Amino acid sequence: MDFISNPWFLAITTINILALIYLAIKFRYKTKEEPLLFERLREADVHITIRTPPKPSDLKGDDTKEKKD
């Protein structure tokens, strides 16, 4: 219990808690004002779609006509 009642531990812990509260408040208000990336892209007429990965049969590989036995 000596570690918890150490004045240095209490001071550093208090400073860390205050810094985290400050950063949480700062970034919460910052993110509420800015629109999301996707919203800004939609306004610029850029429409994002999710691409499906190519099928293995569509990829070029060893199964070509030049393959020799």
Short mmCIF file of all heavy atoms in Angstrom, two decimals:
data_model
loop_
_atom_site.label_atom_id
_atom_site.label_comp_id
_atom_site.label_asym_id
_atom_site.label_seq_id
_atom_site.Cartn_x
_atom_site.Cartn_y
_atom_site.Cartn_z
N MET A 1 0.81 -1.19 0.00
CA MET A 1 0.00 0.00 0.00
C MET A 1 0.86 1.26 0.00
O MET A 1 0.33 2.35 -0.16
CB MET A 1 -0.93 0.01 1.21
CG MET A 1 -1.98 -1.09 1.18
SD MET A 1 -2.99 -1.03 -0.29
CE MET A 1 -4.34 -0.06 0.25
N ASP A 2 2.16 1.10 0.18
CA ASP A 2 3.03 2.27 0.18
C ASP A 2 3.07 2.91 -1.21
O ASP A 2 3.21 4.13 -1.33
CB ASP A 2 4.45 1.89 0.61
CG ASP A 2 4.51 1.48 2.07
OD1 ASP A 2 3.63 1.94 2.83
OD2 ASP A 2 5.42 0.71 2.43
N PHE A 3 2.96 2.08 -2.24
CA PHE A 3 3.04 2.61 -3.61
C PHE A 3 1.85 3.51 -3.92
O PHE A 3 2.01 4.56 -4.54
CB PHE A 3 3.10 1.44 -4.59
CG PHE A 3 3.22 1.86 -6.02
CD1 PHE A 3 4.39 2.43 -6.48
CD2 PHE A 3 2.16 1.72 -6.90
CE1 PHE A 3 4.52 2.83 -7.81
CE2 PHE A 3 2.28 2.11 -8.22
CZ PHE A 3 3.46 2.67 -8.66
N ILE A 4 0.66 3.12 -3.49
CA ILE A 4 -0.55 3.90 -3.80
C ILE A 4 -0.56 5.23 -3.03
O ILE A 4 -1.03 6.24 -3.53
CB ILE A 4 -1.81 3.07 -3.49
CG1 ILE A 4 -1.85 1.88 -4.43
CG2 ILE A 4 -3.07 3.89 -3.62
CD1 ILE A 4 -2.96 0.91 -4.16
N SER A 5 0.00 5.24 -1.83
CA SER A 5 0.00 6.47 -1.04
C SER A 5 1.24 7.34 -1.29
O SER A 5 1.41 8.37 -0.65
CB SER A 5 -0.11 6.13 0.46
OG SER A 5 1.02 5.36 0.85
N ASN A 6 2.08 6.91 -2.23
CA ASN A 6 3.27 7.68 -2.58
C ASN A 6 2.83 8.99 -3.25
O ASN A 6 2.03 8.98 -4.18
CB ASN A 6 4.14 6.86 -3.53
CG ASN A 6 5.47 7.50 -3.81
OD1 ASN A 6 5.71 8.64 -3.45
ND2 ASN A 6 6.33 6.75 -4.48
N PRO A 7 3.36 10.16 -2.81
CA PRO A 7 2.93 11.42 -3.40
C PRO A 7 3.26 11.55 -4.89
O PRO A 7 2.51 12.17 -5.65
CB PRO A 7 3.67 12.49 -2.60
CG PRO A 7 4.43 11.80 -1.54
CD PRO A 7 4.25 10.33 -1.69
N TRP A 8 4.36 10.95 -5.34
CA TRP A 8 4.70 11.00 -6.76
C TRP A 8 3.69 10.22 -7.59
O TRP A 8 3.29 10.64 -8.67
CB TRP A 8 6.10 10.46 -7.01
CG TRP A 8 7.16 11.43 -6.59
CD1 TRP A 8 7.98 11.35 -5.52
CD2 TRP A 8 7.49 12.66 -7.25
NE1 TRP A 8 8.80 12.44 -5.46
CE2 TRP A 8 8.53 13.25 -6.52
CE3 TRP A 8 7.01 13.30 -8.38
CZ2 TRP A 8 9.09 14.47 -6.88
CZ3 TRP A 8 7.57 14.50 -8.75
CH2 TRP A 8 8.60 15.07 -8.00
N PHE A 9 3.28 9.07 -7.10
CA PHE A 9 2.27 8.26 -7.80
C PHE A 9 0.96 9.03 -7.90
O PHE A 9 0.33 9.05 -8.96
CB PHE A 9 2.07 6.93 -7.07
CG PHE A 9 0.97 6.10 -7.64
CD1 PHE A 9 1.15 5.41 -8.83
CD2 PHE A 9 -0.26 6.02 -7.02
CE1 PHE A 9 0.14 4.63 -9.38
CE2 PHE A 9 -1.29 5.25 -7.55
CZ PHE A 9 -1.08 4.56 -8.73
N LEU A 10 0.55 9.65 -6.82
CA LEU A 10 -0.69 10.42 -6.83
C LEU A 10 -0.61 11.61 -7.78
O LEU A 10 -1.56 11.89 -8.51
CB LEU A 10 -1.03 10.89 -5.41
CG LEU A 10 -1.37 9.79 -4.41
CD1 LEU A 10 -1.54 10.38 -3.02
CD2 LEU A 10 -2.60 9.04 -4.84
N ALA A 11 0.52 12.29 -7.82
CA ALA A 11 0.66 13.45 -8.70
C ALA A 11 0.64 13.03 -10.16
O ALA A 11 -0.04 13.65 -11.00
CB ALA A 11 1.96 14.18 -8.37
N ILE A 12 1.38 12.00 -10.50
CA ILE A 12 1.44 11.54 -11.90
C ILE A 12 0.07 10.99 -12.34
O ILE A 12 -0.39 11.25 -13.46
CB ILE A 12 2.56 10.48 -12.07
CG1 ILE A 12 3.91 11.16 -11.91
CG2 ILE A 12 2.46 9.78 -13.40
CD1 ILE A 12 5.08 10.23 -11.87
N THR A 13 -0.60 10.26 -11.46
CA THR A 13 -1.92 9.73 -11.79
C THR A 13 -2.92 10.85 -12.01
O THR A 13 -3.72 10.82 -12.96
CB THR A 13 -2.41 8.80 -10.67
OG1 THR A 13 -1.44 7.76 -10.47
CG2 THR A 13 -3.75 8.18 -11.01
N THR A 14 -2.87 11.88 -11.17
CA THR A 14 -3.77 13.03 -11.32
C THR A 14 -3.52 13.77 -12.63
O THR A 14 -4.45 14.12 -13.35
CB THR A 14 -3.62 13.99 -10.13
OG1 THR A 14 -3.83 13.27 -8.91
CG2 THR A 14 -4.59 15.14 -10.21
N ILE A 15 -2.25 13.97 -12.97
CA ILE A 15 -1.91 14.64 -14.22
C ILE A 15 -2.38 13.83 -15.42
O ILE A 15 -2.93 14.38 -16.39
CB ILE A 15 -0.39 14.93 -14.28
CG1 ILE A 15 -0.03 15.99 -13.25
CG2 ILE A 15 0.03 15.35 -15.67
CD1 ILE A 15 1.46 16.19 -13.07
N ASN A 16 -2.20 12.51 -15.36
CA ASN A 16 -2.64 11.65 -16.47
C ASN A 16 -4.16 11.68 -16.64
O ASN A 16 -4.67 11.75 -17.76
CB ASN A 16 -2.19 10.21 -16.25
CG ASN A 16 -0.73 10.04 -16.56
OD1 ASN A 16 -0.15 10.81 -17.31
ND2 ASN A 16 -0.12 9.03 -15.97
N ILE A 17 -4.89 11.65 -15.55
CA ILE A 17 -6.36 11.68 -15.63
C ILE A 17 -6.83 13.02 -16.20
O ILE A 17 -7.71 13.06 -17.06
CB ILE A 17 -6.98 11.40 -14.25
CG1 ILE A 17 -6.74 9.94 -13.87
CG2 ILE A 17 -8.46 11.73 -14.22
CD1 ILE A 17 -7.13 9.59 -12.45
N LEU A 18 -6.23 14.11 -15.75
CA LEU A 18 -6.62 15.42 -16.27
C LEU A 18 -6.28 15.55 -17.76
O LEU A 18 -7.06 16.12 -18.53
CB LEU A 18 -5.93 16.53 -15.47
CG LEU A 18 -6.41 16.69 -14.02
CD1 LEU A 18 -5.56 17.72 -13.30
CD2 LEU A 18 -7.87 17.05 -13.99
N ALA A 19 -5.13 15.01 -18.17
CA ALA A 19 -4.75 15.07 -19.59
C ALA A 19 -5.72 14.25 -20.44
O ALA A 19 -6.11 14.68 -21.53
CB ALA A 19 -3.32 14.57 -19.77
N LEU A 20 -6.12 13.09 -19.97
CA LEU A 20 -7.07 12.26 -20.72
C LEU A 20 -8.44 12.93 -20.83
O LEU A 20 -9.09 12.88 -21.88
CB LEU A 20 -7.21 10.88 -20.07
CG LEU A 20 -6.00 9.96 -20.23
CD1 LEU A 20 -6.20 8.69 -19.40
CD2 LEU A 20 -5.78 9.62 -21.68
N ILE A 21 -8.89 13.57 -19.76
CA ILE A 21 -10.16 14.28 -19.81
C ILE A 21 -10.08 15.44 -20.80
O ILE A 21 -10.99 15.66 -21.61
CB ILE A 21 -10.56 14.77 -18.40
CG1 ILE A 21 -10.92 13.59 -17.52
CG2 ILE A 21 -11.72 15.76 -18.47
CD1 ILE A 21 -11.11 13.93 -16.07
N TYR A 22 -8.97 16.18 -20.78
CA TYR A 22 -8.78 17.30 -21.71
C TYR A 22 -8.81 16.81 -23.17
O TYR A 22 -9.48 17.39 -24.02
CB TYR A 22 -7.46 18.01 -21.41
CG TYR A 22 -7.06 19.00 -22.46
CD1 TYR A 22 -7.69 20.22 -22.58
CD2 TYR A 22 -6.06 18.69 -23.38
CE1 TYR A 22 -7.33 21.14 -23.56
CE2 TYR A 22 -5.68 19.59 -24.36
CZ TYR A 22 -6.32 20.81 -24.44
OH TYR A 22 -5.97 21.69 -25.43
N LEU A 23 -8.07 15.73 -23.45
CA LEU A 23 -8.02 15.22 -24.82
C LEU A 23 -9.38 14.67 -25.27
O LEU A 23 -9.77 14.84 -26.43
CB LEU A 23 -6.95 14.14 -24.94
CG LEU A 23 -5.51 14.65 -24.83
CD1 LEU A 23 -4.55 13.47 -24.79
CD2 LEU A 23 -5.18 15.57 -25.98
N ALA A 24 -10.10 14.03 -24.37
CA ALA A 24 -11.41 13.50 -24.73
C ALA A 24 -12.36 14.63 -25.08
O ALA A 24 -13.09 14.55 -26.08
CB ALA A 24 -11.96 12.67 -23.57
N ILE A 25 -12.35 15.70 -24.30
CA ILE A 25 -13.23 16.84 -24.59
C ILE A 25 -12.80 17.52 -25.89
O ILE A 25 -13.64 17.87 -26.73
CB ILE A 25 -13.22 17.83 -23.41
CG1 ILE A 25 -13.91 17.21 -22.21
CG2 ILE A 25 -13.89 19.14 -23.80
CD1 ILE A 25 -13.76 18.00 -20.93
N LYS A 26 -11.51 17.69 -26.08
CA LYS A 26 -11.00 18.37 -27.28
C LYS A 26 -11.39 17.61 -28.55
O LYS A 26 -11.90 18.21 -29.50
CB LYS A 26 -9.49 18.49 -27.18
CG LYS A 26 -8.86 19.14 -28.38
CD LYS A 26 -7.35 19.21 -28.22
CE LYS A 26 -6.71 19.75 -29.47
NZ LYS A 26 -5.26 19.79 -29.37
N PHE A 27 -11.15 16.32 -28.59
CA PHE A 27 -11.41 15.56 -29.80
C PHE A 27 -12.89 15.25 -29.99
O PHE A 27 -13.33 15.02 -31.11
CB PHE A 27 -10.58 14.28 -29.83
CG PHE A 27 -9.14 14.55 -30.13
CD1 PHE A 27 -8.17 14.36 -29.17
CD2 PHE A 27 -8.76 15.02 -31.37
CE1 PHE A 27 -6.84 14.63 -29.44
CE2 PHE A 27 -7.43 15.28 -31.66
CZ PHE A 27 -6.48 15.09 -30.68
N ARG A 28 -13.67 15.27 -28.93
CA ARG A 28 -15.11 15.05 -29.09
C ARG A 28 -15.73 16.22 -29.84
O ARG A 28 -16.51 16.02 -30.76
CB ARG A 28 -15.77 14.88 -27.73
CG ARG A 28 -17.24 14.67 -27.86
CD ARG A 28 -17.89 14.39 -26.56
NE ARG A 28 -19.31 14.17 -26.78
CZ ARG A 28 -20.22 14.40 -25.88
NH1 ARG A 28 -19.89 14.82 -24.70
NH2 ARG A 28 -21.48 14.18 -26.16
N TYR A 29 -15.39 17.42 -29.46
CA TYR A 29 -15.96 18.58 -30.15
C TYR A 29 -15.38 18.73 -31.55
O TYR A 29 -16.06 19.19 -32.45
CB TYR A 29 -15.73 19.85 -29.34
CG TYR A 29 -16.59 19.91 -28.11
CD1 TYR A 29 -16.03 19.99 -26.85
CD2 TYR A 29 -17.98 19.87 -28.21
CE1 TYR A 29 -16.82 20.04 -25.72
CE2 TYR A 29 -18.78 19.91 -27.09
CZ TYR A 29 -18.19 20.00 -25.84
OH TYR A 29 -18.99 20.04 -24.73
N LYS A 30 -14.15 18.32 -31.76
CA LYS A 30 -13.54 18.42 -33.08
C LYS A 30 -14.23 17.47 -34.07
O LYS A 30 -14.48 17.83 -35.20
CB LYS A 30 -12.05 18.10 -33.00
CG LYS A 30 -11.33 18.26 -34.30
CD LYS A 30 -9.86 18.00 -34.15
CE LYS A 30 -9.17 18.17 -35.49
NZ LYS A 30 -7.75 17.91 -35.42
N THR A 31 -14.52 16.26 -33.63
CA THR A 31 -15.13 15.29 -34.54
C THR A 31 -16.60 15.59 -34.79
O THR A 31 -17.14 15.19 -35.81
CB THR A 31 -14.99 13.86 -34.00
OG1 THR A 31 -15.54 13.81 -32.69
CG2 THR A 31 -13.54 13.43 -33.97
N LYS A 32 -17.28 16.27 -33.88
CA LYS A 32 -18.69 16.58 -34.11
C LYS A 32 -18.85 17.65 -35.17
O LYS A 32 -19.83 17.69 -35.87
CB LYS A 32 -19.34 17.04 -32.81
CG LYS A 32 -19.60 15.92 -31.87
CD LYS A 32 -20.61 16.32 -30.83
CE LYS A 32 -20.92 15.13 -29.99
NZ LYS A 32 -22.30 14.83 -29.92
N GLU A 33 -17.88 18.54 -35.32
CA GLU A 33 -17.99 19.62 -36.29
C GLU A 33 -17.66 19.18 -37.71
O GLU A 33 -18.25 19.65 -38.66
CB GLU A 33 -17.05 20.76 -35.89
CG GLU A 33 -17.45 21.44 -34.59
CD GLU A 33 -16.41 22.43 -34.12
OE1 GLU A 33 -15.41 22.61 -34.84
OE2 GLU A 33 -16.60 23.01 -33.05
N GLU A 34 -16.71 18.28 -37.87
CA GLU A 34 -16.27 17.86 -39.20
C GLU A 34 -17.16 16.74 -39.73
O GLU A 34 -17.48 15.80 -39.02
CB GLU A 34 -14.83 17.35 -39.14
CG GLU A 34 -13.82 18.42 -38.82
CD GLU A 34 -12.41 17.87 -38.81
OE1 GLU A 34 -12.22 16.71 -39.20
OE2 GLU A 34 -11.52 18.60 -38.40
N PRO A 35 -17.54 16.82 -41.01
CA PRO A 35 -18.28 15.70 -41.59
C PRO A 35 -17.34 14.52 -41.84
O PRO A 35 -16.13 14.69 -41.95
CB PRO A 35 -18.80 16.27 -42.91
CG PRO A 35 -17.87 17.38 -43.23
CD PRO A 35 -17.38 17.92 -41.92
N LEU A 36 -17.92 13.37 -41.93
CA LEU A 36 -17.12 12.17 -42.18
C LEU A 36 -16.55 12.20 -43.60
O LEU A 36 -17.04 12.91 -44.47
CB LEU A 36 -17.99 10.93 -42.01
CG LEU A 36 -18.49 10.67 -40.59
CD1 LEU A 36 -19.43 9.47 -40.60
CD2 LEU A 36 -17.35 10.43 -39.64
N LEU A 37 -15.53 11.40 -43.81
CA LEU A 37 -14.87 11.34 -45.12
C LEU A 37 -15.85 10.92 -46.20
O LEU A 37 -15.88 11.49 -47.29
CB LEU A 37 -13.69 10.36 -45.06
CG LEU A 37 -12.99 10.09 -46.38
CD1 LEU A 37 -12.35 11.36 -46.92
CD2 LEU A 37 -11.97 9.00 -46.22
N PHE A 38 -16.70 9.92 -45.91
CA PHE A 38 -17.65 9.45 -46.91
C PHE A 38 -18.68 10.52 -47.24
O PHE A 38 -19.14 10.61 -48.37
CB PHE A 38 -18.34 8.17 -46.44
CG PHE A 38 -17.40 7.00 -46.37
CD1 PHE A 38 -17.19 6.33 -45.18
CD2 PHE A 38 -16.72 6.58 -47.49
CE1 PHE A 38 -16.33 5.26 -45.11
CE2 PHE A 38 -15.86 5.51 -47.44
CZ PHE A 38 -15.65 4.85 -46.25
N GLU A 39 -19.07 11.32 -46.27
CA GLU A 39 -20.02 12.40 -46.54
C GLU A 39 -19.39 13.46 -47.43
O GLU A 39 -20.04 13.98 -48.34
CB GLU A 39 -20.49 13.02 -45.22
CG GLU A 39 -21.33 12.09 -44.39
CD GLU A 39 -21.63 12.66 -43.02
OE1 GLU A 39 -21.21 13.79 -42.74
OE2 GLU A 39 -22.28 11.96 -42.23
N ARG A 40 -18.13 13.78 -47.20
CA ARG A 40 -17.46 14.77 -48.05
C ARG A 40 -17.28 14.23 -49.46
O ARG A 40 -17.41 14.97 -50.45
CB ARG A 40 -16.11 15.14 -47.46
CG ARG A 40 -16.23 15.98 -46.20
CD ARG A 40 -14.90 16.44 -45.74
NE ARG A 40 -14.19 15.27 -45.23
CZ ARG A 40 -12.92 15.25 -44.84
NH1 ARG A 40 -12.20 16.33 -44.92
NH2 ARG A 40 -12.37 14.17 -44.37
N LEU A 41 -17.01 12.94 -49.61
CA LEU A 41 -16.86 12.36 -50.94
C LEU A 41 -18.20 12.33 -51.68
O LEU A 41 -18.24 12.58 -52.89
CB LEU A 41 -16.28 10.95 -50.83
CG LEU A 41 -14.81 10.88 -50.44
CD1 LEU A 41 -14.40 9.43 -50.22
CD2 LEU A 41 -13.93 11.51 -51.50
N ARG A 42 -19.29 12.04 -50.97
CA ARG A 42 -20.60 12.04 -51.61
C ARG A 42 -20.97 13.43 -52.11
O ARG A 42 -21.56 13.57 -53.18
CB ARG A 42 -21.66 11.55 -50.62
CG ARG A 42 -21.91 10.08 -50.74
CD ARG A 42 -23.13 9.66 -49.94
NE ARG A 42 -22.75 8.47 -49.21
CZ ARG A 42 -22.62 8.38 -47.89
NH1 ARG A 42 -22.89 9.41 -47.14
NH2 ARG A 42 -22.26 7.27 -47.33
N GLU A 43 -20.61 14.46 -51.35
CA GLU A 43 -20.89 15.83 -51.79
C GLU A 43 -20.10 16.18 -53.04
O GLU A 43 -20.54 17.00 -53.84
CB GLU A 43 -20.56 16.81 -50.67
CG GLU A 43 -21.50 16.72 -49.49
CD GLU A 43 -21.03 17.56 -48.31
OE1 GLU A 43 -19.99 18.24 -48.44
OE2 GLU A 43 -21.71 17.53 -47.28
N ALA A 44 -18.94 15.56 -53.22
CA ALA A 44 -18.12 15.80 -54.40
C ALA A 44 -18.46 14.84 -55.54
O ALA A 44 -17.70 14.70 -56.49
CB ALA A 44 -16.64 15.68 -54.03
N ASP A 45 -19.60 14.14 -55.42
CA ASP A 45 -20.06 13.18 -56.43
C ASP A 45 -19.09 12.02 -56.65
O ASP A 45 -18.91 11.54 -57.77
CB ASP A 45 -20.37 13.86 -57.76
CG ASP A 45 -21.59 14.74 -57.66
OD1 ASP A 45 -22.47 14.41 -56.84
OD2 ASP A 45 -21.66 15.75 -58.39
N VAL A 46 -18.46 11.58 -55.59
CA VAL A 46 -17.63 10.38 -55.64
C VAL A 46 -18.37 9.32 -54.84
O VAL A 46 -18.54 9.44 -53.64
CB VAL A 46 -16.23 10.63 -55.03
CG1 VAL A 46 -15.43 9.35 -55.01
CG2 VAL A 46 -15.51 11.71 -55.78
N HIS A 47 -18.85 8.30 -55.54
CA HIS A 47 -19.64 7.26 -54.90
C HIS A 47 -18.79 6.01 -54.76
O HIS A 47 -18.33 5.43 -55.74
CB HIS A 47 -20.90 6.97 -55.70
CG HIS A 47 -21.75 8.20 -55.87
ND1 HIS A 47 -22.49 8.73 -54.84
CD2 HIS A 47 -21.92 9.03 -56.93
CE1 HIS A 47 -23.11 9.80 -55.27
NE2 HIS A 47 -22.77 10.02 -56.53
N ILE A 48 -18.60 5.59 -53.53
CA ILE A 48 -17.73 4.45 -53.24
C ILE A 48 -18.57 3.18 -53.21
O ILE A 48 -19.63 3.14 -52.59
CB ILE A 48 -17.02 4.66 -51.90
CG1 ILE A 48 -16.13 5.88 -51.98
CG2 ILE A 48 -16.23 3.43 -51.50
CD1 ILE A 48 -15.46 6.25 -50.69
N THR A 49 -18.08 2.15 -53.88
CA THR A 49 -18.74 0.85 -53.84
C THR A 49 -17.74 -0.17 -53.34
O THR A 49 -16.52 -0.01 -53.49
CB THR A 49 -19.23 0.43 -55.23
OG1 THR A 49 -18.12 0.42 -56.13
CG2 THR A 49 -20.28 1.39 -55.76
N ILE A 50 -18.25 -1.22 -52.77
CA ILE A 50 -17.38 -2.29 -52.26
C ILE A 50 -17.14 -3.26 -53.40
O ILE A 50 -18.08 -3.78 -54.01
CB ILE A 50 -18.04 -2.99 -51.07
CG1 ILE A 50 -18.23 -1.99 -49.94
CG2 ILE A 50 -17.21 -4.16 -50.61
CD1 ILE A 50 -19.01 -2.54 -48.77
N ARG A 51 -15.88 -3.50 -53.68
CA ARG A 51 -15.53 -4.42 -54.75
C ARG A 51 -15.45 -5.83 -54.20
O ARG A 51 -14.93 -6.06 -53.12
CB ARG A 51 -14.20 -4.05 -55.37
CG ARG A 51 -14.24 -2.74 -56.12
CD ARG A 51 -12.90 -2.41 -56.69
NE ARG A 51 -12.42 -3.50 -57.52
CZ ARG A 51 -11.19 -3.58 -57.99
NH1 ARG A 51 -10.32 -2.64 -57.71
NH2 ARG A 51 -10.81 -4.57 -58.74
N THR A 52 -15.91 -6.78 -54.99
CA THR A 52 -15.76 -8.18 -54.59
C THR A 52 -14.40 -8.66 -55.10
O THR A 52 -13.94 -8.24 -56.16
CB THR A 52 -16.87 -9.05 -55.19
OG1 THR A 52 -16.85 -8.88 -56.60
CG2 THR A 52 -18.22 -8.64 -54.65
N PRO A 53 -13.74 -9.52 -54.36
CA PRO A 53 -12.45 -10.00 -54.81
C PRO A 53 -12.59 -10.86 -56.07
O PRO A 53 -13.63 -11.50 -56.28
CB PRO A 53 -11.93 -10.84 -53.64
CG PRO A 53 -13.13 -11.16 -52.83
CD PRO A 53 -14.11 -10.07 -53.07
N PRO A 54 -11.58 -10.87 -56.91
CA PRO A 54 -11.68 -11.67 -58.14
C PRO A 54 -11.68 -13.16 -57.82
O PRO A 54 -11.09 -13.60 -56.85
CB PRO A 54 -10.42 -11.27 -58.92
CG PRO A 54 -9.48 -10.76 -57.91
CD PRO A 54 -10.31 -10.16 -56.83
N LYS A 55 -12.35 -13.91 -58.68
CA LYS A 55 -12.39 -15.36 -58.52
C LYS A 55 -11.06 -15.93 -58.97
O LYS A 55 -10.41 -15.40 -59.88
CB LYS A 55 -13.52 -15.94 -59.34
CG LYS A 55 -14.88 -15.47 -58.90
CD LYS A 55 -15.96 -16.03 -59.78
CE LYS A 55 -17.31 -15.48 -59.39
NZ LYS A 55 -18.36 -15.92 -60.30
N PRO A 56 -10.63 -17.03 -58.38
CA PRO A 56 -9.36 -17.63 -58.81
C PRO A 56 -9.38 -18.05 -60.28
O PRO A 56 -8.35 -18.06 -60.94
CB PRO A 56 -9.21 -18.85 -57.90
CG PRO A 56 -10.07 -18.58 -56.73
CD PRO A 56 -11.16 -17.68 -57.20
N SER A 57 -10.54 -18.37 -60.80
CA SER A 57 -10.61 -18.79 -62.21
C SER A 57 -10.41 -17.59 -63.14
O SER A 57 -10.03 -17.76 -64.30
CB SER A 57 -11.95 -19.45 -62.50
OG SER A 57 -13.00 -18.53 -62.25
N ASP A 58 -10.65 -16.38 -62.66
CA ASP A 58 -10.46 -15.18 -63.48
C ASP A 58 -9.01 -14.73 -63.53
O ASP A 58 -8.62 -13.95 -64.40
CB ASP A 58 -11.31 -14.03 -62.96
CG ASP A 58 -12.80 -14.32 -63.10
OD1 ASP A 58 -13.15 -15.18 -63.94
OD2 ASP A 58 -13.59 -13.70 -62.39
N LEU A 59 -8.22 -15.18 -62.59
CA LEU A 59 -6.81 -14.76 -62.53
C LEU A 59 -5.97 -15.56 -63.51
O LEU A 59 -6.20 -16.74 -63.73
CB LEU A 59 -6.27 -14.93 -61.12
CG LEU A 59 -6.98 -14.13 -60.03
CD1 LEU A 59 -6.41 -14.50 -58.67
CD2 LEU A 59 -6.80 -12.65 -60.27
N LYS A 60 -4.98 -14.92 -64.08
CA LYS A 60 -4.08 -15.62 -64.98
C LYS A 60 -3.06 -16.37 -64.13
O LYS A 60 -2.52 -15.85 -63.19
CB LYS A 60 -3.35 -14.65 -65.90
CG LYS A 60 -4.27 -13.97 -66.88
CD LYS A 60 -3.50 -13.07 -67.80
CE LYS A 60 -4.43 -12.42 -68.80
NZ LYS A 60 -3.73 -11.47 -69.66
N GLY A 61 -2.82 -17.57 -64.50
CA GLY A 61 -1.89 -18.39 -63.73
C GLY A 61 -1.19 -19.39 -64.61
O GLY A 61 -0.90 -19.14 -65.78
N ASP A 62 -0.95 -20.55 -64.05
CA ASP A 62 -0.23 -21.59 -64.78
C ASP A 62 -1.11 -22.32 -65.79
O ASP A 62 -0.61 -23.05 -66.62
CB ASP A 62 0.34 -22.61 -63.79
CG ASP A 62 1.44 -21.99 -62.94
OD1 ASP A 62 2.11 -21.07 -63.42
OD2 ASP A 62 1.62 -22.47 -61.81
N ASP A 63 -2.40 -22.15 -65.74
CA ASP A 63 -3.30 -22.87 -66.64
C ASP A 63 -3.51 -22.12 -67.94
O ASP A 63 -4.62 -21.85 -68.37
CB ASP A 63 -4.65 -23.11 -65.95
CG ASP A 63 -4.51 -23.96 -64.72
OD1 ASP A 63 -3.62 -24.84 -64.72
OD2 ASP A 63 -5.28 -23.78 -63.79
N THR A 64 -2.45 -21.78 -68.63
CA THR A 64 -2.56 -21.09 -69.92
C THR A 64 -2.32 -22.07 -71.05
O THR A 64 -1.95 -23.22 -70.85
CB THR A 64 -1.53 -19.95 -70.00
OG1 THR A 64 -0.24 -20.48 -69.84
CG2 THR A 64 -1.79 -18.91 -68.90
N LYS A 65 -2.53 -21.59 -72.29
CA LYS A 65 -2.34 -22.48 -73.44
C LYS A 65 -0.89 -22.82 -73.68
O LYS A 65 -0.57 -23.82 -74.28
CB LYS A 65 -2.90 -21.80 -74.70
CG LYS A 65 -4.39 -21.61 -74.65
CD LYS A 65 -4.90 -20.93 -75.88
CE LYS A 65 -6.39 -20.71 -75.81
NZ LYS A 65 -6.91 -19.97 -76.96
N GLU A 66 0.03 -21.98 -73.18
CA GLU A 66 1.45 -22.24 -73.41
C GLU A 66 2.03 -23.28 -72.45
O GLU A 66 3.18 -23.61 -72.53
CB GLU A 66 2.24 -20.95 -73.27
CG GLU A 66 1.95 -19.94 -74.37
CD GLU A 66 1.37 -18.67 -73.80
OE1 GLU A 66 1.40 -18.49 -72.60
OE2 GLU A 66 0.85 -17.89 -74.60
N LYS A 67 1.23 -23.77 -71.53
CA LYS A 67 1.74 -24.73 -70.56
C LYS A 67 2.08 -26.03 -71.27
O LYS A 67 1.32 -26.57 -72.04
CB LYS A 67 0.69 -24.99 -69.48
CG LYS A 67 1.19 -25.89 -68.40
CD LYS A 67 0.15 -26.04 -67.30
CE LYS A 67 0.66 -26.98 -66.26
NZ LYS A 67 -0.31 -27.21 -65.20
N LYS A 68 3.28 -26.50 -71.01
CA LYS A 68 3.75 -27.73 -71.66
C LYS A 68 3.73 -28.87 -70.66
O LYS A 68 3.98 -28.70 -69.49
CB LYS A 68 5.17 -27.53 -72.18
CG LYS A 68 5.25 -26.48 -73.26
CD LYS A 68 6.65 -26.32 -73.75
CE LYS A 68 6.71 -25.22 -74.80
NZ LYS A 68 8.06 -24.97 -75.26
N ASP A 69 3.47 -30.07 -71.15
CA ASP A 69 3.43 -31.26 -70.28
C ASP A 69 4.79 -31.76 -69.98
O ASP A 69 5.68 -31.92 -70.66
CB ASP A 69 2.57 -32.35 -70.91
CG ASP A 69 1.11 -31.90 -70.92
OD1 ASP A 69 0.71 -31.24 -69.94
OD2 ASP A 69 0.40 -32.22 -71.88
#
